[in-house]
Amino acid sequence: MAHPENPERAQRGKLTVTASAAHLWLLAVSLALLLPMLGCSRFHPKPRPEYVYVLGKQTYLRDRVAAVSNRTATVTNGQRLQVLEHGRRFLRVQTAKGEIGWLEERTVAPQSVEAGFAWLQRDHASDPTVATAILRDELYMHVKPGRDTDKLYLLPENEKLQLLVRASVEKNASGAKPLVRSPAAATEPSTAANTAHPTSTTPAEAAPEPPPMEDWWLARDSQGHTGWLLGRRMDVDVPDDLTKYSEGQRIVGAYVLATVHDPDIDQTAAGGNIKEYVTVLSAPRDGLPYDFDQVRVYTWNLKKHRYETAYRERDIEGFLPVTLKDGSPYAAPNAATNANPQFTIRIAPADAGPILTDPVTGISRPAKLIEKSFQLEGNVVRRILPPGQTASLQPAEAHPEPLPGKKAKAAAAHRKHRK
């Protein structure tokens, strides 16, 4: 038989439900009061500081944006500034020393540009130096090859550079638009064009004039900054006595092979120690599908006290780097241990096929290369062949396309003379 419900127990149950409802109501009210407080700025994390970098060689911070203002600080190229406030075309910034002022926004580079240079420096920190050069005048370093690409560091005149790699881009391109280096494409109309107009297309229409190209070098300066520089604004670091032997050609790289002592010129700055070089050269034009087309070795004549050409090779498609016997350029041998120094060049074989081009940087390399090694014995340069091989067994070499105009005729006459 069912027992009637205990009145006291029922009353306690009602009180428990009422208390739970009260607790829920209080919790809801507390959350409603707390949410506005969570929205206050004091509960938000501080925004990351924004930085910009000075583009000009030197500029000034001013106390206000007005026609008449006072200078508060002087800032120089590459200096980092913290942004405190954005105005219309102006920024209020602070230096590392705590100096505060306004400057035009167009005179600084954003933090993303500096990050691009930092990435280049890290990514190419271990790249070997293929040549050294000196700037003719002040020049901006760019984060990508191309005149309209982002720039930051302004390098001074006579800055010494370590060259890492060469790229060719269109002269008027906004950013890197590399040349597609295919020998067939450079000499024949495209198949698509011929198919679309098999009868009406003239040779001039089928092979339009290629766009003007510019050479850029990925370089490292004395401060360790790495970036792209316009090639025509620098000169390879070679003695003045060698430049007069270039015969109008562009010296791409010069490497010390040996050192000789000439007692008759001890009073000079060199102290009588004269360096002998292997140099690589090319025609004085940009956009070539190879780094160099000539190799020359210069030795020192102790009787006539001048440089003389000990070896010359032309009509090749050469690619940097040029390496010395120990496998690295610029390992200048000691004068006492420089007997029979050796060097190696890399050239394209006749069956190399189209040269691959990086679509972002414009850097080109053939699918394969062959190496040619040489040894300097006194004033004579001799080819070093692998054991058991002769010159007739060496692979055929690729040759540059004839240059237009008079240069093409001269090159053709030279090849005919060699035959």
Side-chain angles (χ1 to χ4, degrees):
M1 180 175 180
H3 294 282
E5 184 177 355
N6 190 334
E8 294 181 1
R9 181 181 297 176
Q11 184 65 24
R12 286 198 301 271
K14 291 180 181 180
L15 292 175
T16 302
V17 172
T18 304
S20 300
H23 282 303
L24 291 175
W25 183 83
L26 289 175
L27 181 60
V29 172
S30 300
L31 289 175
L33 295 175
L34 184 61
L35 285 176
M37 298 177 63
L38 291 175
C40 296
S41 60
R42 61 175 179 166
F43 288 94
H44 284 177
K46 290 185 178 180
R48 297 180 62 180
E50 178 185 358
Y51 294 98
V52 292
Y53 297 81
V54 180
L55 276 176
K57 184 176 182 180
Q58 178 178 287
T59 188
Y60 303 99
L61 303 186
R62 300 184 177 274
D63 59 351
R64 58 185 178 273
V65 180
V68 179
S69 59
N70 298 317
R71 298 176 180 175
T72 60
T74 301
V75 291
T76 56
N77 176 257
Q79 185 173 344
R80 189 175 78 162
L81 307 172
Q82 184 177 354
V83 178
L84 303 179
E85 183 180 348
H86 285 266
R88 184 179 179 183
R89 299 184 294 107
F90 286 84
L91 298 174
R92 185 167 174 263
V93 298
Q94 180 178 1
T95 68
K97 297 180 180 179
E99 302 161 320
I100 298 176
W102 292 86
L103 82 170
E104 289 189 78
E105 190 171 5
R106 64 180 179 85
T107 62
V108 295
Q111 193 165 358
S112 59
V113 174
E114 193 277 337
F117 281 101
W119 179 86
L120 283 175
Q121 184 172 342
R122 291 192 303 269
D123 195 55
H124 297 277
S126 59
D127 286 9
T129 302
V130 299
T132 56
I134 299 177
L135 283 182
R136 297 176 189 164
D137 47 23
E138 293 180 345
L139 184 65
Y140 272 105
M141 181 176 280
H142 291 242
V143 73
K144 294 180 180 179
R147 298 196 180 203
D148 295 334
T149 58
D150 292 326
K151 60 187 179 182
L152 177 54
Y153 300 111
L154 179 62
L155 306 188
E157 181 182 0
N158 295 325
E159 174 76 2
K160 290 191 175 182
L161 304 168
Q162 299 176 5
L163 305 184
L164 307 179
V165 67
R166 182 183 68 97
S168 295
V169 298
E170 292 184 17
K171 182 176 182 180
N172 299 322
S174 57
K177 291 186 178 180
L179 172 69
V180 178
R181 304 180 187 280
S182 171
T187 56
E188 299 177 3
S190 64
T191 304
N194 291 339
T195 304
H197 304 283
T199 57
S200 61
T201 304
T202 64
E205 294 172 339
E209 188 71 19
M213 305 297 293
E214 284 185 331
D215 285 350
W216 288 73
W217 282 93
L218 183 63
R220 186 184 298 120
D221 69 358
S222 58
Q223 303 299 318
H225 301 136
T226 303
W228 292 91
L229 296 166
L230 185 60
R232 65 181 60 184
R233 300 282 293 276
M234 63 181 73
D235 295 310
V236 172
D237 189 10
V238 294
D240 293 336
D241 291 341
L242 282 185
T243 57
K244 61 184 178 182
Y245 294 100
S246 62
E247 300 175 353
Q249 302 299 296
R250 176 188 295 171
I251 298 178
V252 178
Y255 313 92
V256 178
L257 272 181
T259 303
V260 298
H261 182 73
D262 191 340
D264 292 337
I265 56 173
D266 277 347
Q267 304 303 318
T268 64
N273 294 323
I274 308 299
K275 296 177 181 179
E276 299 180 324
Y277 291 85
V278 53
T279 63
V280 290
L281 308 92
S282 70
R285 54 182 296 195
D286 291 356
L288 294 173
Y290 43 81
D291 292 330
F292 58 89
D293 58 13
Q294 298 183 45
V295 178
R296 300 185 187 183
V297 176
Y298 297 101
T299 56
W300 185 257
N301 189 315
L302 294 174
K303 294 181 179 180
K304 298 182 179 180
H305 314 296
R306 69 182 186 188
Y307 279 107
E308 292 183 346
T309 304
Y311 178 79
R312 172 184 294 179
E313 185 171 359
R314 297 176 177 174
D315 198 24
I316 58 176
E317 294 185 359
F319 292 85
L320 296 171
V322 175
T323 54
L324 302 186
K325 184 176 181 179
D326 66 347
S328 62
Y330 305 113
N334 187 281
T337 60
N338 61 357
N340 302 332
Q342 300 175 6
F343 66 93
T344 301
I345 61 173
R346 293 163 177 82
I347 60 176
D351 59 348
I355 299 175
L356 304 178
T357 303
D358 189 310
V360 177
T361 63
I363 301 172
S364 300
R365 284 291 180 267
K368 59 180 179 179
L369 292 169
I370 57 177
E371 295 186 349
K372 295 177 67 175
S373 298
F374 301 86
Q375 180 170 283
L376 177 62
E377 301 175 2
N379 291 333
V380 178
V381 177
R382 301 186 186 279
R383 174 82 182 272
I384 302 176
L385 296 175
Q389 293 192 16
T390 62
S392 60
L393 297 178
Q394 299 305 303
E397 302 172 5
H399 300 290
E401 292 292 329
L403 300 177
K406 296 181 179 179
K407 293 181 179 179
K409 295 180 181 179
H414 171 71
R415 285 194 293 270
K416 183 178 179 180
H417 176 72
R418 289 180 62 184
K419 293 179 180 179

